[in-house]
Amino acid sequence: MPSDPRVLLVDDDVELSRMLMEYMGGEGFDVHAVHDGEAGVGQALSGSYDLIVVDVMMPRLNGVEVLRRIRARSSLPVLMLTAKGDDIDRVVGLELGADDYVPKPCSPRELVARVRAILRRTQRESGGEELNSPLEVAPLVLWPQKRSVEWDGTPLALTSTEFNLLEVLVRHAGRVVSKGDLSEQGLGRPLARYDRSIDVHLSSLRHKLGRYADGRSPIETVRGIGYQYLRE
């Protein structure tokens, strides 16, 4: 049987950490907690975890800096805990490569749902021919099973959520995908009102992807509807 997913919780609130560990443990997760950013970075880069939950508001080394240091060396999924209503922290976190965020105070049930949504997308089991075969929209090639992408032969370093969203768009290349469908298929959750996560992730993707010979980005915004991946 597969082992329980290993989750690292980085939060200086000891009481909250204990409560979340107990709840998530009962939901089938193996959770370890540390209470400062330096320890969080060290543990995150140890290769022992499937996902990390990081609180933004921590003394000394805050969650944004923790994320920055992790992203410099790893694409491990990271979920941020942000202050309720603090859009700046959310956008900065997403721009730095966070996979998702949950506003505090949060319910343990919502946190578990978000964690599971991320892990479903990043821990696919080996599948059939569709998963093994690359998706090609020249000059981009995407391998769903290996979760790797190349643009004109050059590998791209994408976060797990960027990869998920790009895969959805490439599978529907030439057709518009609504933001609601992107949220469901790429983030694993319904689109929330005023949620800018997808816009920020796709802005980052545009910077990482190359451009076509005529200067166009392959990802086009269709105002009021969603996005589409353009064929050259």
XYZ file of all heavy atoms in Angstrom, residues 165-208:
347
model
N -1.838 23.951 -15.130
C -2.605 24.883 -15.957
C -2.158 24.810 -17.411
O -2.990 24.843 -18.328
C -2.450 26.303 -15.423
C -3.085 26.558 -14.056
C -2.666 27.929 -13.519
C -4.609 26.475 -14.132
N -0.850 24.704 -17.626
C -0.349 24.607 -18.993
C -0.850 23.326 -19.653
O -1.253 23.340 -20.826
C 1.179 24.642 -19.001
C 1.838 24.563 -20.379
C 1.429 25.736 -21.255
C 3.364 24.515 -20.236
N -0.866 22.230 -18.920
C -1.351 20.967 -19.493
C -2.812 21.087 -19.924
O -3.191 20.625 -21.012
C -1.200 19.825 -18.491
C -1.674 18.487 -19.058
C -1.580 17.351 -18.067
O -1.006 17.538 -16.980
O -2.107 16.269 -18.391
N -3.639 21.710 -19.088
C -5.052 21.889 -19.450
C -5.172 22.697 -20.740
O -5.917 22.345 -21.652
C -5.827 22.577 -18.307
C -7.260 22.895 -18.751
C -5.859 21.696 -17.067
N -4.421 23.803 -20.824
C -4.501 24.657 -22.011
C -3.987 23.944 -23.258
O -4.589 24.056 -24.344
C -3.699 25.941 -21.775
C -4.306 26.922 -20.770
C -3.325 28.055 -20.485
C -5.626 27.491 -21.288
N -2.896 23.203 -23.123
C -2.322 22.522 -24.286
C -3.240 21.410 -24.767
O -3.381 21.180 -25.979
C -0.920 21.981 -23.944
C -0.401 21.060 -25.045
C 0.063 23.136 -23.756
N -3.896 20.712 -23.840
C -4.839 19.664 -24.246
C -6.020 20.253 -25.019
O -6.682 19.544 -25.777
C -5.345 18.893 -23.026
C -4.319 17.954 -22.411
C -4.939 17.068 -21.345
N -3.945 16.199 -20.730
C -3.512 15.049 -21.244
N -4.015 14.631 -22.405
N -2.618 14.324 -20.625
N -6.288 21.531 -24.812
C -7.389 22.205 -25.515
C -6.840 23.266 -26.480
O -7.502 24.270 -26.741
C -8.338 22.868 -24.516
C -9.018 21.899 -23.596
N -8.430 21.423 -22.445
C -10.237 21.309 -23.674
C -9.268 20.582 -21.844
N -10.359 20.500 -22.557
N -5.638 23.064 -26.979
C -4.994 24.064 -27.836
C -5.904 24.484 -28.979
O -6.534 23.652 -29.642
C -3.679 23.513 -28.387
N -5.996 25.805 -29.177
C -6.855 26.348 -30.222
C -8.278 26.595 -29.789
O -9.080 27.131 -30.555
N -8.601 26.214 -28.540
C -9.949 26.423 -28.016
C -9.871 27.213 -26.714
O -8.909 27.076 -25.951
C -10.644 25.085 -27.747
C -11.018 24.321 -29.004
C -11.604 22.964 -28.649
N -10.565 22.038 -28.195
C -10.809 20.912 -27.543
N -12.066 20.589 -27.238
N -9.819 20.111 -27.189
N -10.877 28.005 -26.448
C -10.906 28.809 -25.227
C -11.300 27.924 -24.044
O -12.243 27.131 -24.137
C -11.902 29.980 -25.353
C -11.937 30.782 -24.053
C -11.523 30.870 -26.528
N -10.552 28.062 -22.951
C -10.867 27.358 -21.705
C -11.299 28.408 -20.688
O -10.571 29.382 -20.444
C -9.660 26.569 -21.169
C -10.041 25.812 -19.899
C -9.135 25.607 -22.230
N -12.469 28.249 -20.106
C -12.955 29.226 -19.138
C -12.113 29.201 -17.870
O -11.477 28.189 -17.550
C -14.412 28.951 -18.785
O -14.516 27.782 -17.984
N -12.137 30.324 -17.131
C -11.410 30.369 -15.871
C -11.969 29.345 -14.886
O -11.219 28.774 -14.086
C -11.454 31.779 -15.279
C -10.621 32.782 -16.053
C -10.640 34.153 -15.406
C -9.923 34.167 -14.086
N -9.800 35.535 -13.519
N -13.273 29.113 -14.950
C -13.870 28.120 -14.070
C -13.333 26.727 -14.342
O -12.993 25.982 -13.415
N -13.233 26.369 -15.623
C -12.693 25.052 -15.977
C -11.211 24.956 -15.631
O -10.734 23.906 -15.181
C -12.895 24.779 -17.467
C -14.337 24.452 -17.804
O -15.103 24.123 -16.877
O -14.700 24.541 -19.000
N -10.470 26.036 -15.836
C -9.053 26.029 -15.470
C -8.869 25.821 -13.974
O -7.972 25.099 -13.541
C -8.387 27.349 -15.893
C -7.862 27.421 -17.319
C -7.407 28.847 -17.624
C -6.717 26.449 -17.526
N -9.717 26.462 -13.183
C -9.628 26.298 -11.744
C -9.951 24.867 -11.337
O -9.242 24.254 -10.529
C -10.569 27.278 -11.039
O -10.391 27.232 -9.639
N -11.012 24.322 -11.895
C -11.409 22.956 -11.556
C -10.337 21.947 -11.977
O -9.978 21.055 -11.211
C -12.737 22.602 -12.248
C -13.945 23.350 -11.707
C -14.526 22.700 -10.469
O -13.935 21.711 -9.981
O -15.572 23.182 -9.984
N -9.845 22.085 -13.216
C -8.929 21.089 -13.755
C -7.471 21.348 -13.381
O -6.689 20.407 -13.229
C -9.054 21.045 -15.277
C -10.429 20.627 -15.762
C -10.553 20.689 -17.266
O -9.659 20.241 -18.000
N -11.646 21.258 -17.760
N -7.103 22.622 -13.228
C -5.708 22.951 -12.945
C -5.397 23.110 -11.474
O -4.328 22.710 -11.010
N -6.339 23.700 -10.718
C -6.128 23.903 -9.285
C -6.840 22.852 -8.437
O -6.571 22.728 -7.251
C -6.609 25.298 -8.854
C -5.999 26.505 -9.563
C -6.526 27.794 -8.950
C -4.482 26.462 -9.498
N -7.784 22.156 -9.056
C -8.502 21.125 -8.329
C -9.576 21.655 -7.405
O -9.987 20.991 -6.460
N -10.076 22.877 -7.682
C -11.113 23.464 -6.830
C -11.947 24.438 -7.658
O -11.491 24.946 -8.681
C -10.490 24.190 -5.637
C -9.512 25.301 -6.010
C -8.993 25.974 -4.762
N -7.920 26.915 -5.005
C -8.077 28.172 -5.388
N -9.289 28.639 -5.604
N -7.033 28.967 -5.569
N -13.173 24.714 -7.202
C -14.014 25.678 -7.924
C -13.395 27.075 -7.887
O -12.676 27.425 -6.948
C -15.338 25.636 -7.148
C -15.314 24.356 -6.394
C -13.879 24.092 -6.079
N -13.694 27.854 -8.914
C -13.207 29.228 -8.968
C -13.938 30.074 -7.935
O -15.162 30.110 -7.895
C -13.438 29.804 -10.370
C -12.972 31.252 -10.594
C -11.455 31.337 -10.523
C -13.474 31.744 -11.956
N -13.169 30.738 -7.078
C -13.756 31.607 -6.058
C -13.912 33.020 -6.602
O -13.146 33.469 -7.460
C -12.881 31.624 -4.810
N -14.905 33.724 -6.106
C -15.131 35.099 -6.539
C -13.921 35.962 -6.188
O -13.361 35.845 -5.096
C -16.381 35.636 -5.853
C -16.909 36.927 -6.444
C -18.180 37.346 -5.742
N -18.771 38.535 -6.360
C -19.825 39.165 -5.865
N -20.406 38.720 -4.761
N -20.313 40.231 -6.478
N -13.495 36.793 -7.118
C -12.362 37.702 -6.957
C -11.014 36.973 -6.822
O -10.023 37.572 -6.425
C -12.547 38.626 -5.741
C -13.838 39.399 -5.750
C -14.713 39.336 -4.676
C -14.204 40.182 -6.851
C -15.914 40.039 -4.683
C -15.400 40.889 -6.869
C -16.245 40.816 -5.780
O -17.420 41.507 -5.791
N -10.971 35.690 -7.154
C -9.724 34.929 -7.051
C -8.837 35.243 -8.254
O -9.230 35.020 -9.395
C -10.045 33.440 -7.002
C -8.836 32.578 -6.664
O -7.704 33.090 -6.748
O -9.028 31.407 -6.312
N -7.645 35.761 -7.985
C -6.710 36.121 -9.065
C -5.624 35.078 -9.278
O -4.677 35.307 -10.032
C -6.056 37.466 -8.739
C -7.011 38.651 -8.727
C -6.241 39.929 -8.507
N -5.190 40.112 -9.503
C -4.123 40.898 -9.328
N -3.976 41.548 -8.197
N -3.228 41.013 -10.278
N -5.724 33.937 -8.605
C -4.648 32.948 -8.663
C -4.293 32.555 -10.092
O -3.117 32.527 -10.476
C -5.035 31.689 -7.882
O -5.312 31.979 -6.547
N -5.311 32.227 -10.890
C -5.049 31.764 -12.250
C -4.360 32.851 -13.065
O -3.406 32.580 -13.805
C -6.358 31.312 -12.917
C -6.835 30.005 -12.282
C -6.171 31.131 -14.431
C -8.183 29.545 -12.772
N -4.817 34.099 -12.936
C -4.195 35.194 -13.687
C -2.711 35.326 -13.350
O -1.876 35.525 -14.239
C -4.912 36.511 -13.377
C -6.411 36.427 -13.611
O -6.815 36.166 -14.754
O -7.165 36.594 -12.638
N -2.386 35.215 -12.067
C -0.988 35.358 -11.651
C -0.151 34.184 -12.152
O 0.954 34.362 -12.673
C -0.889 35.485 -10.116
C 0.573 35.574 -9.688
C -1.646 36.716 -9.628
N -0.678 32.965 -12.013
C 0.060 31.795 -12.500
C 0.301 31.885 -14.008
O 1.404 31.577 -14.486
C -0.721 30.514 -12.198
C -0.693 30.093 -10.765
N 0.476 29.892 -10.068
C -1.703 29.824 -9.898
C 0.181 29.505 -8.832
N -1.120 29.472 -8.704
N -0.696 32.312 -14.764
C -0.538 32.378 -16.215
C 0.369 33.525 -16.638
O 1.072 33.434 -17.643
C -1.900 32.492 -16.903
C -2.783 31.240 -16.776
C -4.065 31.413 -17.574
C -2.045 29.995 -17.263
N 0.389 34.609 -15.865
C 1.348 35.675 -16.136
C 2.775 35.157 -15.986
O 3.657 35.447 -16.808
C 1.105 36.850 -15.180
O 2.086 37.846 -15.343
N 3.002 34.361 -14.937
C 4.320 33.756 -14.746
C 4.653 32.798 -15.883
O 5.787 32.770 -16.382
C 4.356 33.019 -13.405
O 5.579 32.351 -13.229
N 3.667 32.008 -16.307
C 3.892 31.078 -17.415
C 4.289 31.807 -18.692
O 5.173 31.362 -19.426
C 2.616 30.275 -17.677
C 2.518 28.874 -17.084
C 1.151 28.279 -17.384
C 3.620 27.983 -17.623
N 3.637 32.923 -18.961
C 3.965 33.692 -20.171
C 5.435 34.118 -20.174
O 6.083 34.147 -21.227
C 3.077 34.923 -20.271
C 1.654 34.644 -20.743
C 0.969 35.956 -21.107
N -0.379 35.760 -21.612
C -1.483 36.004 -20.932
N -1.401 36.452 -19.679
N -2.666 35.810 -21.465
N 5.953 34.473 -19.006
C 7.344 34.898 -18.928
C 8.301 33.721 -19.127
O 9.428 33.906 -19.590
C 7.618 35.557 -17.572
C 7.088 36.952 -17.471
N 5.838 37.243 -16.963
C 7.624 38.146 -17.832
C 5.637 38.545 -17.014
N 6.698 39.114 -17.535
N 7.864 32.520 -18.760
C 8.744 31.354 -18.881
C 8.697 30.731 -20.269
O 9.694 30.168 -20.732
C 8.367 30.307 -17.826
C 8.630 30.753 -16.395
C 8.254 29.678 -15.386
C 8.563 30.138 -13.971
N 8.250 29.091 -12.961
